[in-house]
Amino acid sequence: MKPKLGISELFPGTGARSGRWSVDAVQLIEEIGYGSVWLPEHVVFFPTYTSQYPYESGGAQEVHKTLGVHDPLVLAGTIAGVTSTLRIGTYVFVVPQRNPIITARQVASIDQLSEGRFEFGVGVGWSEQEYTALDVPFEKRGDRMNDYLAAMRELWSDDEISEYRGEYVDFEPLHCYPKPARSRLPIIVGGNSRATLERIVAFGDGWAGYSRTHEDIKVFIDKLEGLMTAAGREMSELSLKVGRRSKGATEKDWEDDRAYIEEALRLGIDEVVVSPRIGDENYEKDMRRYAEIVGL
């Protein structure tokens, strides 16, 4: 049985990856047989960082040398128009940085255009500099995110008129259209903290973990199951995903990815989102070889 795999690719819109590169890449990703493509999100990057990157060193090195990425919601709409089966998601969208009414409308539009193939991966972010540049308070970003998610659920409801009163979002009765293609658009909550667990239970349809050991995964799932049971929810309601960034670009590194994937799936993960970070020179050839090695 083939593993259920998504792929998180870097879509910077610069150099060799400018122009139609992103379109060609996602069509290749779909043709190879990946189930989903996940789009990273930072509005801006910085030459140097004062905030510490919270995950593994390889990801930190990539963040520090990245100039930018395509806006994930703009790119998701484009992907919806050039693919037919590929699920599309954000991994993850920094919710507290943007107006929730605008975000809700954009996400619902993508879900309609993709005929229900969009999954909204969300997180609070880690870069205080990014929040400062956007003139959004960094403090209490978790509380702000919770309020935004609750407001978006209201805006996506089948009700013709939406109204919400909260600490960070407050709007009078209004029409917010279009509505998503599905009655419940999936919110996949990123992070590894206690707050992440609570947010999944309150708002989520899944978990987007990243750079977790197998022991980390087991502990997180056990905690999540206990909280879901206490809240009267079933684990079957959730899609559990974990991101895996390759440690290198050799076939041995890719074989290590396969071993990681197999064990993660055995532990109850539904989908591993791989990031092989294939170079530009032999992109298609190496992408196909990677897929062979990890068993896709």
Side-chain angles (χ1 to χ4, degrees), residues 127-247:
S127 173
E128 185 171 359
Q129 288 162 278
E130 188 172 9
Y131 274 84
T132 299
L134 297 171
D135 196 26
V136 177
F138 186 69
E139 297 76 15
K140 296 189 176 181
R141 63 194 185 282
D143 293 340
R144 183 184 296 272
M145 175 164 164
N146 292 343
D147 213 18
Y148 282 17
L149 291 177
M152 284 190 275
R153 282 289 190 212
E154 171 63 26
L155 293 164
W156 291 333
S157 73
D158 292 333
D159 297 334
E160 183 176 300
I161 296 176
S162 300
E163 180 179 8
Y164 186 82
R165 305 291 181 184
E167 182 178 359
Y168 299 96
V169 192
D170 189 331
F171 52 82
E172 63 184 83
L174 53 76
H175 299 297
C176 185
Y177 280 78
K179 300 294 185 181
R182 290 157 293 178
S183 59
R184 185 175 174 93
L185 187 147
I187 292 177
I188 312 298
V189 181
N192 309 304
S193 66
R194 173 73 184 193
T196 299
L197 288 162
E198 293 172 350
R199 198 167 285 125
I200 294 170
V201 174
F203 306 105
D205 304 284
W207 174 46
Y210 182 70
S211 188
R212 300 287 86 191
T213 67
H214 293 125
E215 181 59 26
D216 292 336
I217 291 170
K218 183 178 184 303
V219 169
F220 191 92
I221 291 176
D222 287 346
K223 290 180 179 178
L224 180 58
E225 186 169 9
L227 291 174
M228 287 287 286
T229 299
R233 295 189 63 189
E234 301 288 337
M235 287 294 287
S236 59
E237 300 174 38
L238 302 178
S239 174
L240 305 180
K241 309 174 192 296
V242 66
R244 165 72 173 184
R245 189 182 188 282
S246 295
K247 303 304 180 185

Side-chain angles (χ1 to χ4, degrees), residues 255-269:
E255 289 167 0
D256 289 345
D257 284 357
R258 177 167 185 159
Y260 178 91
I261 291 163
E262 290 173 349
E263 180 62 12
L265 295 175
R266 190 189 69 79
L267 289 171
I269 291 296

Side-chain angles (χ1 to χ4, degrees), residues 23 76 90 94 96 220 232:
V23 170
T90 47
V94 186
F220 191 92

Side-chain angles (χ1 to χ4, degrees), residues 84-99:
S84 58
T85 61
L86 198 66
R87 287 177 291 108
I88 309 158
T90 47
Y91 214 106
V92 292
F93 189 89
V94 186
V95 169
Q97 293 180 346
R98 306 200 194 191
N99 180 285

